[in-house]
Amino acid sequence: MQDQMTPMERAAALAKGLPVDRLPCNPNVANGVARIYGCKISELSRNAKTLADAQVASYRRFGYDSIRIFTDLFPWAEAMGATVKYPDDETADLDQPAITDVSQIDSLQPADPYKDGRLPLQLDAMKYLQDEVKGEIGCSCGIVGAFTNAFFLLGVNKTLSMIYKNPEAVHRLCQVSLETVKAYAAAAIDLGITPAISEPMSSCTVVSPKAFREFSLPYLKELVDFIKSKGKGVVVHICGQTNKIWEDVADLGIAGLSIDNVASLAECKKAVGHKVKILGNVDPAVVMFSGTPLDVRYNTLRCIRDGYDSPKGYMVMSGCSLPVDTPRENIQAMMDTVREVGYPVCPERVAELIEDCERRLKEK
């Protein structure tokens, strides 16, 4: 099955209520693009053109609706003094935070996206990306929120402790983090790229809703407002369970809310679907990585059933970034299922397809 529209044509038509060929879909291949392109993951952090070319190669292979420059959660903390370890063919990870004690917070300086760490490389990758696909698909860049970045500046355990022992210190960390991510967002927007925010440490699995509202939400709001003031909408993804903060995030006036697979798509639609487009949430590990194409088909259909009629719109998506070695046939199965369902979605037909999957799964 072939698409009849480009991602940008599809998005524009949906926004105007015009006919489209299918729902938008983004499997969120992430660093798995290295497998599609044929390079090692470490090369994505060393060469701007390789980073862009790998993203383009994966998009061309599967034809999904979102493409972004993003490698890991740590470029912004690294640009502020943290150290990152780069396995040869695995995703980069935090080695050491930028500081080891609260007394050092005032020594932190906002990063310059044109000079510090990997940030200039990622900006260059955005230029290459635009050269290849501008006008065909919307180009974005991943960026962490100020609260999440704060954890990588002082260390996760120490920052969690400071939430209770020294809240003022956490706010200072968030403020300097915010200056860094705002500067990066501005640089990306100047290139025509739309920032997309990841805030994994804001998850209700990590901190309480009360802590989120005190320490994350004010800085998230300032970042969202800043991006919107530049004429860009913004999607926010928060890992883990988020049901107790959906209203808070949706009220920021964001363009989309991406939810993890542990959250209920149907409940999210009911709670905030009238306020924000919802993206999600096929399980990236159990289904996409470890499952069969039939498992992917079944779970994609269930997500379509639960989300297709969300008032502000819906995009089929994995609940988080896919594991690097997710089978290509599973990524293809997600795309093929969305194409088969088409648009407008016929709920009766989707129900029939789900029943067929359930029968076939029982026969296995």
Side-chain angles (χ1 to χ4, degrees):
M1 289 173 283
Q2 299 294 318
D3 290 333
Q4 305 302 310
M5 312 176 80
T6 67
M8 288 195 76
E9 289 171 343
R10 187 175 299 111
L14 279 170
K16 297 175 182 177
L18 299 175
V20 297
D21 53 348
R22 62 168 173 82
L23 284 167
C25 181
N26 176 19
N28 201 356
V29 179
N31 282 344
V33 299
R35 298 291 187 263
I36 309 300
Y37 183 62
C39 68
K40 293 183 177 180
I41 293 173
S42 58
E43 295 178 53
L44 303 179
S45 292
R46 295 199 301 260
N47 188 296
K49 192 169 190 309
T50 298
L51 175 54
D53 287 349
Q55 294 290 346
V56 172
S58 183
Y59 158 63
R60 297 277 187 228
R61 168 67 176 78
F62 298 109
Y64 43 70
D65 288 79
S66 182
I67 189 169
R68 67 174 178 162
I69 296 299
F70 183 77
T71 56
D72 56 88
L73 297 170
F74 311 108
W76 304 275
E78 181 185 37
M80 297 175 70
T83 57
V84 173
K85 49 190 174 184
Y86 296 96
D88 188 42
D89 203 19
E90 296 177 22
T91 299
D93 199 3
L94 185 68
D95 186 21
Q96 296 292 330
I99 58 176
T100 58
D101 189 79
V102 171
S103 64
Q104 299 172 299
I105 291 177
D106 290 339
S107 70
L108 292 169
Q109 295 295 317
D112 183 337
Y114 299 102
K115 295 180 180 180
D116 295 329
R118 285 179 286 158
L119 303 185
L121 182 148
Q122 295 192 338
L123 292 175
D124 285 343
M126 295 176 207
K127 298 174 188 176
Y128 288 121
L129 191 68
Q130 292 272 58
D131 288 343
E132 290 292 328
V133 298
K134 186 177 182 180
E136 181 181 339
I137 182 173
C139 298
S140 67
C141 66
I143 184 170
V144 297
F147 184 62
T148 286
N149 193 58
F151 280 79
F152 306 144
L153 295 176
L154 181 60
V156 173
N157 291 335
K158 285 184 179 179
T159 307
L160 282 172
S161 176
M162 288 300 101
I163 286 175
Y164 304 100
K165 293 181 179 180
N166 192 343
E168 186 269 339
V170 178
H171 282 293
R172 285 158 58 205
L173 278 173
C174 288
Q175 187 58 54
V176 70
S177 287
L178 179 65
E179 293 180 50
T180 291
V181 295
K182 281 175 67 175
Y184 182 81
I189 292 169
D190 285 345
L191 295 173
I193 300 287
T194 301
I197 303 170
S198 295
E199 253 298 349
M201 302 308 291
S202 289
S203 169
C204 298
T205 310
V206 179
V207 299
S208 69
K210 180 177 181 294
F212 165 77
R213 294 181 184 114
E214 180 176 352
F215 297 102
S216 177
L217 187 60
Y219 305 98
L220 184 58
K221 182 180 188 309
E222 186 168 339
L223 180 57
V224 168
D225 286 349
F226 177 76
I227 294 170
K228 289 167 61 180
S229 74
K230 299 282 189 178
K232 295 289 188 179
V234 58
V235 171
V236 173
H237 173 76
I238 303 178
C239 300
Q241 188 54 266
T242 48
N243 59 318
K244 294 180 180 178
I245 59 173
W246 284 337
E247 293 277 358
D248 301 274
V249 180
D251 286 344
L252 294 174
I254 57 176
L257 172 62
S258 167
I259 61 172
D260 205 339
N261 57 280
V262 299
S264 167
L265 184 56
E267 290 179 8
C268 187
K269 177 183 72 175
K270 183 178 179 181
V272 296
H274 60 293
K275 295 181 178 182
V276 64
K277 180 180 180 178
I278 299 171
L279 300 81
N281 65 340
V282 179
D283 190 319
V286 174
V287 175
M288 295 298 296
F289 175 69
S290 300
T292 66
L294 180 58
D295 294 320
V296 173
R297 176 178 173 82
Y298 176 56
N299 283 274
T300 300
L301 287 167
R302 293 176 67 193
C303 282
I304 293 172
R305 176 197 65 192
D306 291 345
Y308 82 93
D309 58 349
S310 194
K312 288 293 185 179
Y314 171 63
M315 174 183 279
V316 181
M317 193 168 172
S318 55
C320 199
S321 297
L322 295 185
V324 169
D325 290 305
T326 297
R328 296 184 191 190
E329 58 266 29
N330 285 357
I331 301 171
Q332 190 65 52
M334 175 184 276
M335 296 303 307
D336 286 347
T337 302
V338 175
R339 290 179 176 123
E340 180 182 354
V341 169
Y343 195 88
V345 173
C346 174
E348 292 79 15
R349 174 60 175 157
V350 171
E352 290 175 0
L353 294 173
I354 289 173
E355 289 180 6
D356 177 67
C357 286
E358 289 173 341
R359 176 186 57 78
R360 293 165 62 190
L361 288 167
K362 288 179 181 177
E363 292 173 353
K364 287 175 59 178

